[in-house]
């Protein structure tokens, strides 16, 4: 029996499971978390603590059909400038309640297309942020860069603002695939953006590439990966395209009959994975790669790798504050999400309050299950002692969970003296194995393919 046949028998090619960038996952957020909770959780941050800050810019010059992010198209700068004023007001609300001495360990601008901000807007936003919460020592400031929407003035402004890591979405370099997914971005345009970043001293570069796209073949993804490798990114996220047109209507523009079958998706992933490995990149978790000595590689090697809404991270901050429409914050107490609609978010901010609409307050069991899932996703193992020591887990309950998972995935996982681990041949099943420790009903969440 081949490994693919065995994986098929375990349901890998049929399963729909979460990506587990949070626990519980966002479909389980509800209305029980309010603006009052959000404010009190901010006020509970220890003085002098380091936090992460995420700024969401929900605008794009054009809407890519493959994307499921909450964005809206605009052909002018007027809505972006108006939104900048909302962000500045929101930062002012944060300044009133943020404990003294708090600094940034991580600052990330995402979207959407943050580089829709013109140079003066970039400078204005950065200055406003730093007036509220300055960058701490060794802080990382990253921005998602659209190579089609960047120029020298904006690159200069980002560099002057302290950006020291850039993230570029590649998806695929094949021009036919780009047309089908609504994201035309040539290798030459991408290279020009990379050269512009490095000319300004921005040496840390992240890149995203997708597998499972329409009409994608092993030879096509190999060509795209090799072109990406020629740009020498420090980190790469190799994400599986999630076709969820019931959640993202624009994806209905993509012909479903052109999408590769699950077995073909696995072959596409393996083709790309091998190329990154052959080029010396370390495998990070289930779908990231990093050069030796990069922060992610060091975090994995030393057991400090974490999981958040951007994927894998080496950020150790206990608090992530998200500002802007639809942004999600994570506190030790739970999650809080802003209003998704830009109009609702703006109205709340202009009325002098945060726009928190939903979230989740952690239970004792959430913390335990969440940590088990995170360590499986990051390290492919669970320390029994850590769960007992840090979460007061009951040994008998842990052993029962491990036993059930071992019975379900026999030959791909095993119980050990230290706890539980996923064997190398079981790593394609990691998200399914993590699901075994999820205490919530996943039947109605509409998650993406397990491969």
């Amino acid at each position: 029996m081949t490994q693919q046949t065995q994986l098929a028998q375990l349901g890998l090619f049929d399963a729909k499971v979460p990506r587990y960038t949070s626990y519980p996952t966002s479909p389980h957020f509800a209305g029980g978390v309010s603006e009052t909770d959000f404010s009190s959780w901010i006020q509970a941050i220890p003085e002098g603590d380091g936090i992460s800050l995420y700024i969401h810019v929900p605008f794009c010059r054009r809407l890519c059909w493959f994307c499921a992010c909450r964005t809206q198209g605009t052909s002018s700068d007027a809505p972006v400038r108006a939104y900048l004023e909302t962000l500045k007001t929101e930062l002012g609300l944060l300044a009133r309640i943020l404990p003294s001495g708090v600094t940034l360990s991580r600052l990330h601008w995402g979207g959407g297309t943050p580089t829709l901000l013109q140079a003066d807007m970039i400078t204005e936003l950065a200055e406003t942020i730093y007036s509220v919460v300055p960058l701490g020592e060794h802080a990382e400031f990253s921005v998602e860069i659209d190579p089609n929407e960047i120029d020298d003035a904006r690159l200069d402004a980002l560099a002057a603002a302290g950006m020291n890591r850039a993230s570029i979405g590649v998806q695929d370099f094949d021009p036919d695939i780009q047309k089908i997914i609504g994201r035309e971005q040539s290798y030459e345009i991408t290279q020009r953006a990379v050269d512009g970043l490095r000319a300004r001293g921005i040496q840390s570069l992240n890149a995203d590439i997708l597998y499972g796209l329409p009409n994608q073949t092993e030879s096509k993804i190999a060509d795209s990966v090799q072109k990406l490798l020629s740009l020498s990114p420090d980190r790469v996220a190799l994400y599986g395209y999630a076709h969820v047109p019931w959640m993202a209507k624009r994806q209905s523009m993509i012909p479903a009959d052109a999408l590769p079958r699950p077995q073909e998706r696995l072959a596409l992933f393996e083709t790309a994975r091998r190329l990154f490995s052959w080029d010396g990149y370390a495998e990070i978790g289930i779908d990231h790669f990093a050069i030796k000595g990069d922060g992610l590689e060091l975090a994995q090697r030393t057991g400090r790798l974490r999981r958040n809404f951007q994927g894998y991270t080496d950020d150790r901050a206990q608090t992530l504050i998200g500002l802007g429409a639809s942004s999600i914050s994570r506190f030790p107490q739970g999650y809080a999400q802003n209003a998704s609609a830009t109009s609702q978010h703006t109205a709340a901010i202009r009325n002098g309050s945060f726009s928190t609409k939903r979230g989740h307050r952690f239970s004792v069991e959430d913390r335990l299950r969440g940590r088990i899932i995170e360590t499986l996703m990051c390290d492919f193992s669970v320390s029994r002692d850590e769960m007992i020591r840090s979460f007061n887990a009951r040994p008998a309950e842990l052993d029962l969970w491990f036993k059930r998972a071992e019975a379900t995935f026999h030959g791909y996982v095993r119980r050990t003296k230290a706890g539980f681990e996923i064997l190398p041949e079981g790593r394609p099943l990691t998200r399914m194995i993590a699901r075994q420790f999820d205490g919530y009903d996943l039947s109605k969440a509409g998650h993406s393919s397990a491969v």
Side-chain angles (χ1 to χ4, degrees), residues 363-421:
S363 68
V364 173
E365 186 171 312
D366 286 336
R367 300 178 200 276
L368 170 61
R369 288 181 181 270
R371 181 57 183 153
I372 289 174
I373 289 172
E374 183 178 46
T375 60
L376 285 173
M377 297 290 292
C378 292
D379 306 320
F380 305 108
S381 64
V382 181
S383 166
R384 188 173 181 271
D385 287 346
E386 180 195 344
M387 300 308 138
I388 294 170
R389 181 181 64 254
S390 300
F391 302 96
N392 200 29
R394 296 188 294 274
E397 184 176 44
L398 280 178
D399 293 339
L400 179 60
W401 290 354
F402 296 159
K403 184 178 180 179
R404 287 175 178 170
E406 186 180 46
T408 303
F409 296 99
H410 180 71
Y412 292 92
V413 301
R414 69 182 175 196
R415 286 180 288 167
T416 66
K417 289 183 179 180
F420 180 83
E421 68 178 4

Side-chain angles (χ1 to χ4, degrees), residues 297-369:
E297 191 270 334
L298 290 171
Q300 177 175 262
R301 187 150 35 92
T302 56
R304 295 182 295 105
L305 190 65
R306 302 302 299 267
R307 188 102 170 131
N308 68 8
F309 295 108
Q310 277 76 55
Y312 290 102
T313 181
D314 56 346
D315 184 18
R316 303 297 293 176
Q318 294 298 305
T319 297
L320 163 66
I321 296 177
L323 300 183
S326 80
S327 287
I328 301 175
S329 299
R330 186 193 190 282
F331 299 91
Q333 298 90 339
Y335 294 110
Q337 184 170 19
N338 293 344
S340 296
T342 304
S343 58
Q344 292 180 6
H345 172 75
T346 299
I349 299 301
R350 288 178 178 174
N351 285 331
S353 66
F354 294 108
S355 75
T356 311
K357 284 295 181 184
R358 64 184 197 135
H360 181 86
R361 197 183 307 273
F362 293 142
S363 68
V364 173
E365 186 171 312
D366 286 336
R367 300 178 200 276
L368 170 61
R369 288 181 181 270

Side-chain angles (χ1 to χ4, degrees), residues 76-123:
S76 74
D77 288 342
V80 185
R81 289 193 178 277
Y83 185 77
L84 173 61
E85 292 305 311
T86 300
L87 285 174
K88 289 165 58 181
T89 303
E90 192 174 8
L91 282 160
L93 296 177
L94 177 63
R96 295 177 190 173
I97 59 174
L98 192 68
S100 64
V102 172
T103 59
L104 291 175
S105 66
R106 295 289 189 280
L107 171 61
H108 183 76
W109 296 3
T113 307
T115 49
L116 271 189
L117 295 169
Q118 296 299 326
D120 65 305
M121 291 190 271
I122 289 170
T123 301

Side-chain angles (χ1 to χ4, degrees), residues 23 46 86 210 215 227 236 290 306 335 355 396 402 426 436:
Y23 184 82
T86 300
L210 293 178
N215 293 342
K227 286 179 178 176
V236 178
R306 302 302 299 267
Y335 294 110
S355 75
F402 296 159
Q436 292 287 305

